[in-house]
Amino acid sequence: MPANLPRSRAVRTATAGLGAGLALALAATSVHAQTPGAATKAAAQPAVVSAVNNSELDAQLFYQLLVGEIELRGGSPGSAFEILLDAARKQRREQLFQRAADIALQARAGEQSLMAARAWRDAFPESAQAHRYVIQLLIALGKGAETVKPLRSLIALTPVVERPALINSLPRFFVNASDKKATPPLLELVLNGYDSDIATQGAALQALATAWLIAQEPEKALELTRGAQALNPTSQIPVAIALQLLPTQPAAESIVTDFLRAQPDNSNIRITYARALSTAQRFVDAIAQLELVTRADPDRATAWLTLGALQLEVHQPKEATASLEKFLSLGSTPGTPAATAPTTASGAETDTDDTDDSVADNEQARIQAWLMLAQAAEQRGEFKAAETWLAKVDNPQRALEVQQRRASLLAKQGKMGEARSLIQQLPEKDAEGARAKIFAEAQLLRDSKQWSEAGKVLSKGLDRYKDDVDMLYEMSMLSEKLNQMDEMERLLRKVIELKPKHQHAHNALGYSLAERNIRLPEAKQLIEKALELAPGDPFITDSLGWVEYRMGNLAEAVRLLRKAYMMRPDTEIAAHLGEVLWVSGQTDEARRIWREARGRDAGNDVLRETLARLRADL
C-alpha cells in the first residue's frame, strides 16, 4: 500500500478511486467463486483461526494475527491488510496471502487485493489458486490484457489430463468483463499452441467458439463450433453452443441433429433441443422431439410436463391431457438420475432436465399441471372437469391464474357478469397485481369479442398507468377490432417510440398496412425490422409472407408462409397459406391445409372469412 497514505484510511481512499461499478464487480470476485455474503462471513472469522491452523502458530505470528484482527474489527482494514500481508511474506504461508487479499477485497480495494494476490503467486509460483486470484482481479479491474501470461501459466500448471476441462472453462473468467469483444483475440494468444495440440485442440476450439458467442459474433462462433464437433463428435459442448446459436444462426441446427443421429438415446440433449425449438415457437418440431424422449424414457417426468404444455399450445387438448396426467402419475416415482449436462457459453452446465425428474414431486410443477389440465378441459368444452382441476390449486400466489380460468369458464357459459366480478374482487397487493387484474379482465372481454367493453377497461388502466407499453399495445389491438385504424397506428407508433425493440408493435403495424393493402414498402420494412428483433418468429414470418403476397410475389409468399406454418400450424397462418396457394392454382393443397385448420379451430374468424370470400368448398 502506498506509504504516503495513513494506514487506516488507505484502503478506503483506494476504493473511492475504483468507482461504484468496479466495487460491485470486486465484491463478487473470489477464487472460490464465493458470494459476497460468504466472503463477509469468512472475513468476520477470527484471523488466527481462518488464516492458519492453530498448531502452526508461534508467539510472534499469533501476536501479529491478533493485532490484524483487532485493526479489522476496529474499522481499519488498511492496517489489517498491511499486517496480514507482512506476516504472509515473512511466514510464507498461502493462507495468509489469501487472507490479506480477502481483507482488501472486502474493503473494495481492488489494487491492494491484486497486490496481495501477485505477492502470493510470486511466493508460490506453483499455486493454481494464486493464479486464479490474480486472473479474476485483473479482469475485475479492467486489465484483461494482462491476463495472458497468468492464464498460460495456469494451463501449464494443470495436469495434462485435466487441461481440456480447464481450457473449456476459460471463457467463464471473462463473462463479466467490460469489453467482451476483446476476449476472443486475447484467448487466441492464451491458447496459441494448445489449439494445434491433439490433446487440447478440441477444447481450445470450444473455448474460442464460446468466447465469440459471448462477444456476439455468432458467425465466427459457428465456424469454430463446427470444427470442435468434427474433432470430437461425442462431445456435448459443441451441441450446447449450437443450441445457443440457433436463434440467429439456423445453420447451427445441423450440429444438434448430427449429434442426435449419432446418439439418439441422449434424452438430456433432446429435451434441451426441444426447449430451444419451443422458444423459437417451433412447437410441432419440439413436440416431435419430446415424443421421442417419452417413448425412449417413459419415466422422465419433465418431458411429459413440457410435452403437455406444447400440445395445449397447438390446441391438442386430448393429447395434452394424456401427457399431463402421465406427468402427475410419476409424482410418487423416484426420479431418474440426471445425466451429465452440457456446458453453456458461460461454462456453466445447462439445465437439461431440471436436475432430475423428482420435479414431479414439486408442488409448483403439480399446480402448473392442474392449471393446464383445466385449460385442456375448457378447450374440450368440459367445464365441470375444468373446475375439478382448478379446485386442486390452493396457493395464494396462483390465485389470479385460478380465478382467470374460472372466469373464462363462466364467460363461456354466458355468465359474463359473474366472470368479471371474480377478477375484480381479487385483492391488489401491489402495482403489478393491479396491472395483472386489468389485463385479465380485458382478455376475458376480448375472448368474448366484447371489444368496446375491453377498451373501456384498458382505457381506465391507462389513466392509472400512463405510458404503460403493454397496455398501450393491447389498446392498439382493440382499436383495430373497433375499426379505429388511425388510433391503432398512433398507439403502435407510441409503443415503438417508448420501446424501439418492441417486435410485436413493428409486426402489428406492418401487418395492418399489408392487410389494408396500403403503403406496402413501409409495411415490409416494419415487418423485416420485427423479424430482425425476433429471428424465426412464425407469426412475423407469416406477416412477411402476407406482405409479399400483397406485393404480388406469390412464390416468395408461398415459401415464407410454408415456413411459418411448418414452425407453428396456427389457424390464421393456415388461412393465409391456403389463400396464397388457392390464388396460385394449388387448390388441392389449399383445401387440405384449410381442412386441417378447421379441424383444430372451426370458429376462427380469419379462416371463416377467407373461405367465404374465396367461395372455397371443403
Side-chain angles (χ1 to χ4, degrees):
M1 190 168 291
N4 61 337
L5 288 179
R7 290 197 304 181
S8 64
R9 297 180 57 197
V11 172
R12 209 169 304 149
T13 305
T15 304
L18 291 174
L22 178 58
L24 287 171
L26 289 171
T29 304
S30 166
V31 168
H32 300 291
Q34 63 187 18
T35 63
T40 303
K41 181 179 178 182
Q45 295 174 348
V48 293
V49 175
S50 63
V52 294
N53 187 295
N54 286 351
S55 63
E56 298 175 348
L57 295 175
D58 56 26
Q60 181 181 358
L61 179 56
F62 178 85
Y63 175 75
Q64 207 166 1
L65 296 180
L66 183 60
V67 171
E69 184 70 16
I70 291 170
E71 290 286 334
L72 180 61
R73 297 198 175 195
S76 299
S79 297
F81 170 80
E82 287 193 355
I83 291 168
L84 264 294
L85 185 56
D86 180 65
R89 283 170 169 156
K90 289 178 179 177
Q91 299 291 330
R92 292 184 59 81
R93 296 179 188 272
E94 282 202 73
Q95 302 99 317
L96 295 180
F97 281 112
Q98 183 173 340
R99 176 69 172 160
D102 285 342
I103 287 172
L105 194 59
Q106 183 190 3
R108 309 294 195 267
E111 292 291 349
Q112 283 67 39
S113 187
L114 178 59
M115 179 174 71
R118 279 174 163 161
W120 175 11
R121 180 200 58 194
D122 293 343
F124 294 91
E126 303 299 313
S127 171
Q129 193 88 322
H131 280 78
R132 289 179 181 273
Y133 253 83
V134 169
I135 293 162
Q136 289 175 322
L137 286 165
L138 284 170
I139 294 169
L141 289 163
K143 300 179 178 182
E146 297 179 33
T147 61
V148 174
K149 185 175 180 181
L151 280 169
R152 287 187 65 84
S153 295
L154 180 61
I155 296 172
L157 286 171
T158 303
V160 174
V161 294
E162 297 174 14
R163 281 181 189 169
L166 171 66
I167 289 171
N168 272 323
S169 72
L170 291 183
R172 277 191 237 181
F173 284 108
F174 298 92
V175 166
N176 295 317
S178 56
D179 183 6
K180 292 180 173 56
K181 291 192 180 297
T183 300
L186 188 148
L187 282 183
E188 286 174 353
L189 293 174
V190 171
L191 296 172
N192 184 31
Y194 294 105
D195 56 359
S196 57
D197 186 329
I198 192 170
T200 54
Q201 187 178 21
L205 289 177
Q206 288 166 178
L208 290 170
T210 299
W212 283 115
L213 177 59
I214 294 171
Q216 298 184 338
E217 294 281 356
E219 295 86 357
K220 293 179 180 179
L222 177 57
E223 181 182 354
L224 288 161
T225 304
R226 281 177 172 149
Q229 187 184 46
L231 284 170
N232 188 359
T234 63
S235 174
Q236 296 185 41
I237 296 175
V239 183
I241 299 171
L243 286 168
Q244 293 175 81
L245 287 167
L246 268 182
T248 59
Q249 299 293 306
E253 191 165 3
S254 64
I255 295 173
V256 183
T257 54
D258 287 349
F259 177 89
L260 287 172
R261 270 194 294 272
Q263 298 191 41
D265 296 331
N266 193 314
S267 294
N268 286 343
I269 287 292
R270 203 175 287 282
I271 289 174
T272 309
Y273 180 35
R275 288 176 179 168
L277 292 169
S278 175
T279 300
Q281 298 194 53
R282 292 172 55 185
F283 297 138
V284 174
D285 292 337
I287 287 170
Q289 293 300 320
L290 289 168
E291 286 175 340
L292 289 171
V293 172
T294 54
R295 284 200 292 270
D297 190 358
D299 291 333
R300 186 168 291 249
T302 331
W304 288 108
L305 180 64
T306 309
L307 178 59
L310 291 174
Q311 288 167 331
L312 197 59
E313 190 69 33
V314 297
H315 295 278
Q316 296 176 351
K318 182 180 178 181
E319 293 83 352
T321 299
S323 297
L324 293 167
E325 288 181 341
K326 175 65 175 178
F327 164 76
L328 290 172
S329 75
L330 295 170
S332 59
T333 303
T336 306
T340 303
T343 305
T344 65
S346 64
E349 288 191 337
T350 57
D351 181 15
T352 53
D353 64 347
D354 295 326
T355 305
D356 61 43
D357 280 299
S358 63
V359 67
D361 292 317
N362 182 283
E363 181 67 15
Q364 291 302 318
R366 282 200 298 274
I367 288 173
Q368 195 61 40
W370 291 332
L371 288 169
M372 288 191 290
L373 281 162
Q375 189 177 351
E378 182 182 342
Q379 284 186 10
R380 297 194 308 270
E382 299 174 3
F383 301 137
K384 285 187 70 174
E387 178 54 43
T388 300
W389 289 115
L390 291 174
K392 292 178 176 291
V393 182
D394 183 18
N395 186 318
Q397 295 178 340
R398 312 300 287 269
L400 178 60
E401 292 175 78
V402 173
Q403 294 299 72
Q404 194 170 359
R405 292 252 66 85
R406 284 197 172 113
S408 179
L409 292 174
L410 287 169
K412 287 184 177 178
Q413 297 173 74
K415 303 174 182 179
M416 180 57 75
E418 292 179 48
R420 294 181 70 177
S421 181
L422 271 181
I423 302 295
Q424 292 167 356
Q425 289 173 8
L426 282 168
E428 297 179 7
K429 296 181 180 179
D430 51 30
E432 189 55 41
R435 286 178 71 256
K437 281 178 58 178
I438 293 167
F439 285 116
E441 187 176 359
Q443 185 62 47
L444 190 70
L445 292 161
R446 278 178 58 96
D447 289 344
S448 297
K449 300 181 183 179
Q450 296 187 29
W451 319 122
S452 181
E453 284 299 307
K456 290 176 184 177
V457 171
L458 287 176
S459 182
K460 288 181 181 178
L462 284 168
D463 289 340
R464 189 172 176 183
Y465 301 103
K466 183 178 173 58
D467 288 345
D468 184 295
V469 169
D470 295 329
M471 222 169 280
L472 286 167
Y473 179 76
E474 289 301 318
M475 193 68 180
S476 74
M477 296 296 97
L478 284 171
S479 297
E480 180 194 25
K481 295 296 185 183
L482 294 167
N483 202 31
Q484 298 170 355
M485 307 312 294
D486 290 344
E487 178 65 2
M488 174 195 181
E489 183 168 344
R490 184 189 71 80
L491 290 168
L492 286 173
R493 292 198 184 280
K494 187 171 183 180
V495 170
I496 292 170
E497 178 186 347
L498 292 169
K499 190 176 180 181
K501 292 187 177 181
H502 198 296
Q503 69 266 25
H504 301 303
H506 284 89
N507 180 53
L509 182 52
Y511 177 78
S512 171
L513 295 174
E515 181 68 4
R516 287 178 283 159
N517 211 11
I518 61 173
R519 291 149 50 195
L520 295 178
E522 182 186 357
K524 183 176 180 180
Q525 186 178 30
L526 283 162
I527 295 167
E528 286 176 336
K529 176 63 178 179
L531 203 55
E532 178 186 320
L533 293 168
D537 186 297
F539 290 115
I540 303 175
T541 304
D542 167 69
S543 296
L544 187 57
W546 195 240
V547 79
E548 292 286 2
Y549 168 55
R550 292 298 199 194
M551 297 174 81
N553 303 322
L554 296 185
E556 180 63 4
V558 168
R559 185 188 72 80
L560 288 166
L561 291 167
R562 280 193 200 280
K563 180 180 179 181
Y565 189 64
M566 284 180 65
M567 287 190 288
R568 180 161 183 171
D570 178 81
T571 306
E572 292 189 17
I573 298 176
H576 291 156
L577 175 57
E579 178 166 344
V580 179
L581 289 169
W582 184 271
V583 171
S584 301
Q586 302 176 59
T587 54
D588 289 342
E589 186 179 1
R591 286 192 179 92
R592 177 182 62 78
I593 289 170
W594 283 332
R595 281 195 294 267
E596 288 177 359
R598 190 174 65 176
R600 289 190 299 269
D601 187 6
N604 184 272
D605 289 338
V606 174
L607 178 61
R608 290 165 65 180
E609 185 278 329
T610 300
L611 294 174
R613 176 166 42 81
L614 297 176
R615 298 180 181 178
D617 58 308
L618 301 186

